[in-house]
Amino acid sequence: MKKLILAALLLVSIKSFSQTTTPSTGDQGILSRLEFGIKAGSNVSNFDKFNLPTDPLIGFNAGATVAFKFTDHFMVQEDFLYSQEGAKVKGGILGDQDIKLSYVQVPILLKYRTTSGFYVEAGAQTGILLKYDVAGYTSDQKVFKKINASAVGGIGYQSKMGLGIGARYAYGLTQVGNFPTSAAVNNNFKNETIQANIFYVF
């Protein structure tokens, strides 16, 4: 009798374990709508409305991406990117130097992708400043804002095998600078960045 009870309990346990470890139909449906990928590329950035002369700065970006497909054509995409931005300052109170700002950028974009693979996208992104490099100031002085928001738009192409190329333009919505008034720098300047990427979606 005890052996019969133990056998029954064992069967119930095995059935319960199999139910908890086997994905439900709903879970499979959600997973089928997700796209994961990696991407990397280059940046061309500058400061808009800066009161000192500047030239564009060449940097890079790299990270991961995830998208949720509402339909075969419409989706929402979120990226997690390391992005090097800034500008080449050409004279003035800061002299001649490259100002480099390193961000973690998190864009959230609505995307429309055609059957042929071409797409357009638009949305917003939040940037978290990791570090900056500017001569004459240390990181303790906090002469740049920690959080930066931007509007983003882009175009690109994704092949059926998942390999693609894309280009984006991001324009800052919030001020970048946090210099003291004694520095004679207009803090209302904004980031503007053009990105070009190669990506692969699994």
Side-chain angles (χ1 to χ4, degrees):
M1 186 66 178
K2 288 181 179 179
K3 290 183 179 180
L4 185 60
I5 294 172
L6 287 173
L9 290 173
L10 182 61
L11 288 172
V12 171
S13 299
I14 292 172
K15 185 176 180 181
S16 299
F17 179 76
S18 65
Q19 287 177 341
T20 56
T21 55
T22 302
S24 67
T25 304
D27 293 338
Q28 290 176 333
I30 291 174
L31 289 175
S32 68
R33 292 179 177 271
L34 291 175
E35 288 185 352
F36 297 93
I38 54 175
K39 64 193 313 181
S42 60
N43 294 338
V44 179
S45 60
N46 209 337
F47 295 146
D48 184 45
K49 299 177 181 177
F50 200 47
N51 65 323
L52 301 174
T54 62
D55 282 339
L57 178 73
I58 305 299
F60 70 94
N61 66 85
T65 178
V66 59
F68 179 81
K69 296 184 291 185
F70 298 111
T71 69
D72 289 339
H73 300 294
F74 285 100
M75 65 194 71
V76 59
Q77 179 172 313
E78 184 173 10
D79 295 347
F80 303 89
L81 302 174
Y82 174 86
S83 181
Q84 187 184 76
E85 304 172 22
K88 289 179 174 288
V89 179
K90 310 296 288 182
I93 193 70
L94 296 178
D96 291 346
Q97 63 168 305
D98 293 352
I99 296 180
K100 296 179 181 179
L101 309 177
S102 297
Y103 289 96
V104 171
Q105 297 284 14
V106 185
I108 299 177
L109 308 170
L110 290 175
K111 177 185 283 190
Y112 176 78
R113 187 169 62 207
T114 66
T115 305
S116 60
F118 291 97
Y119 67 81
V120 294
E121 59 187 5
Q125 74 179 11
T126 299
I128 302 172
L129 184 65
L130 298 177
K131 63 178 182 177
Y132 60 81
D133 183 10
V134 52
Y137 294 92
T138 66
S139 58
D140 294 334
Q141 292 175 284
K142 296 180 174 57
V143 292
F144 289 96
K145 297 284 189 180
K146 185 69 175 178
I147 304 296
N148 184 246
S150 304
V152 182
I155 58 173
Y157 171 78
Q158 179 180 323
S159 69
K160 294 186 183 300
M161 65 179 290
L163 188 64
I165 57 173
R168 287 178 183 169
Y169 174 70
Y171 181 75
L173 301 175
T174 56
Q175 73 177 44
V176 180
N178 194 38
F179 287 85
T181 54
S182 58
V185 173
N186 174 20
N187 284 318
N188 292 324
F189 63 94
K190 311 288 178 64
N191 281 325
E192 57 177 345
T193 305
I194 297 173
Q195 293 182 337
N197 292 92
I198 297 174
F199 61 87
Y200 180 72
V201 174
F202 305 113

